[in-house]
Amino acid sequence: GPFLIYCNSGQDHDGLWKDALGQATKEAAAWPYDWVAGVDYPHKSERSTVTGQLVVNDPLAPPETKIGNMLVGLSAPDYVPNGGPGQGPGGMVGWQEDAKHYEFWVRADDQGHFSIPNVRAGTYTLHAIADGVLGDLSQEGVTVESGKPLDLGTVAWQPVRYGKQLWDIGIPNRKASEFLHGDHYWKWGLYNQYPTDFPDDVNFTIGKSDYHKDWNYAQCPRPDRPDGTTWTVNFDLPSDEQGKAILRLAVCGVGARHLDVKVNDQPVGSVDDLHYNATINRDGIGGVWSEHDVVFDAEVLKAGTNTLKLTIPSGNPMSGVEYDYVRLEVNESGNGPLPTTSGGKAKGGGSAPESNRDN
């Protein structure tokens, strides 16, 4: 705390709403409150402002890539929980799951400048996420001293890429909002509508299909698919490929146990460490975010038409997967950098708080 419950009165709903927003603005300006005493609550003079500029450098990004809506935050370092493994890499608890420590978040401007006010003293990890960028920035060891401003200067953010990009589907924004039904995802039972919307399942052709209408917000199991529900991606290549191919699956909603991947009808890997996050059955568009990479020999790819098939096991309509973004890359040398595991590597974080309020 402290907590405020604001009860107002007015002539109509709009008036009540505007009055409540005005009161919220006043309270935000007054926080942290001077009158709180006797608890672990640093006053304004004991807090600090952390500033800097994040510059994204992604030389392999297609020229049409647009980056925006950048959120920058400070969180406690990842840690091993006492009551069981977390959902982060190595079973760690990251900023998406952490409920033990304080986090402070702001939205950066169009040039990546940020100013995070009222930060408590401590050692933090700096994070950044942005629409148009797959993954996040994570910089450990940011030490904030009581009452002393901290300028981090220019922070370079080079998103991870393993090789040239062959194609992608969607927008890396840590939610499935750009896909079919993503603009009204809160409507109960949309997962039941999938067999009607896609009687032959999703069959997406790169360069021809429109992910706004041809890619469902969720891959949902259906009762008439006892062997699993399969989505197919068709794509053409000008020539054979060599080295290693990396299928990068950014997932923001999980109800499925695992996900199988085939390329040109050859099994190339599975994702087996999906962690249920209740997003689909709670009519959400994004929960705990993770990336799962499937690495396979690029020789499976060929000049001409290719197919990629994503299959989830049978189950109830809510035990599916929501994709944030799908990208296929090729590392032609076959050497590093490559993901350390083939399939199921969870990386990064998800939807960040939009305020820097103690929580």
Side-chain angles (χ1 to χ4, degrees):
F3 303 96
L4 171 68
I5 299 176
Y6 181 62
C7 302
N8 60 353
S9 60
Q11 297 299 317
D12 53 48
H13 293 101
D14 287 344
L16 288 167
W17 177 240
K18 291 178 181 178
D19 177 66
L21 290 177
Q23 186 65 32
T25 300
K26 293 177 183 178
E27 298 297 337
W31 176 86
Y33 302 107
D34 292 334
W35 50 266
V36 181
V39 295
D40 178 22
Y41 190 84
H43 287 182
K44 187 176 287 288
S45 63
E46 300 172 283
R47 297 172 181 250
S48 304
T49 298
V50 179
T51 58
Q53 180 184 16
L54 273 163
V55 178
V56 179
N57 177 25
D58 192 357
L60 294 179
E64 66 272 14
T65 300
K66 296 180 180 180
I67 298 174
N69 191 33
M70 182 183 292
L71 291 169
V72 184
L74 295 168
S75 78
D78 295 355
Y79 62 92
V80 177
N82 293 327
Q87 293 188 22
M92 304 285 279
V93 171
W95 64 264
Q96 293 186 93
E97 302 176 274
D98 185 26
K100 293 177 63 176
H101 305 93
Y102 295 100
E103 297 189 17
F104 303 86
W105 291 83
V106 296
R107 195 180 305 280
D109 66 16
D110 292 341
Q111 287 74 46
H113 296 98
F114 63 90
S115 179
I116 310 176
N118 299 317
V119 180
R120 301 165 66 108
T123 299
Y124 296 90
T125 299
L126 176 72
H127 299 280
I129 59 177
D131 294 355
V133 180
L134 175 58
D136 64 2
L137 171 111
S138 180
Q139 179 175 304
E140 300 177 349
V142 177
T143 300
V144 177
E145 299 183 46
S146 177
K148 294 183 179 180
L150 175 62
D151 184 2
L152 298 177
T154 300
V155 180
W157 179 7
Q158 183 164 344
V160 173
R161 286 188 180 264
Y162 300 109
K164 69 177 182 179
Q165 177 176 316
L166 297 183
W167 51 260
D168 64 350
I169 300 173
I171 301 170
N173 56 10
R174 313 181 90 80
K175 50 188 180 292
S177 57
E178 67 271 30
F179 303 129
L180 183 67
H181 299 308
D183 59 347
H184 58 280
Y185 60 89
W186 55 85
K187 180 180 178 182
W188 181 88
L190 279 174
Y191 34 79
N192 294 316
Q193 192 173 320
Y194 169 69
T196 301
D197 290 336
F198 296 91
D200 299 317
D201 293 309
V202 167
N203 199 311
F204 192 93
T205 300
I206 299 296
K208 294 182 180 180
S209 299
D210 180 355
Y211 58 72
H212 294 292
K213 60 182 181 180
D214 298 324
W215 189 273
N216 202 43
Y217 84 105
Q219 183 175 4
C220 307
R222 45 193 293 180
D224 57 342
R225 301 284 191 266
D227 295 327
T229 299
T230 299
W231 285 12
T232 302
V233 179
N234 309 289
F235 58 99
D236 290 333
L237 294 177
S239 60
D240 295 343
E241 296 289 346
Q242 59 183 0
K244 292 293 184 180
I246 306 96
L247 176 65
R248 304 182 66 179
L249 300 169
V251 174
C252 57
V254 177
R257 300 183 300 276
H258 64 268
L259 172 69
D260 293 327
V261 182
K262 289 184 177 180
V263 175
N264 294 328
D265 291 322
Q266 297 186 43
V268 296
S270 297
V271 176
D272 298 316
D273 67 339
L274 294 170
H275 295 283
Y276 170 75
N277 62 16
T279 302
I280 299 175
N281 54 295
R282 296 194 178 187
D283 306 307
I285 203 67
V288 175
W289 183 98
S290 58
E291 181 186 330
H292 304 266
D293 300 325
V294 177
V295 183
F296 57 94
D297 289 335
E299 286 78 4
V300 177
L301 303 171
K302 61 184 180 180
T305 300
N306 295 260
T307 61
L308 168 74
K309 293 182 178 180
L310 305 170
T311 302
I312 56 173
S314 61
N316 67 67
M318 296 170 284
S319 58
V321 172
E322 286 187 5
Y323 300 100
D324 160 38
Y325 178 68
V326 180
R327 180 195 291 168
L328 183 62
E329 299 177 2
V330 168
N331 183 311
E332 295 173 307
S333 69
N335 299 320
L338 289 172
T340 54
T341 58
S342 178
K345 183 182 181 184
K347 301 182 293 186
S351 302
E354 295 190 11
S355 72
N356 60 338
R357 198 69 57 86
D358 283 4
N359 189 16

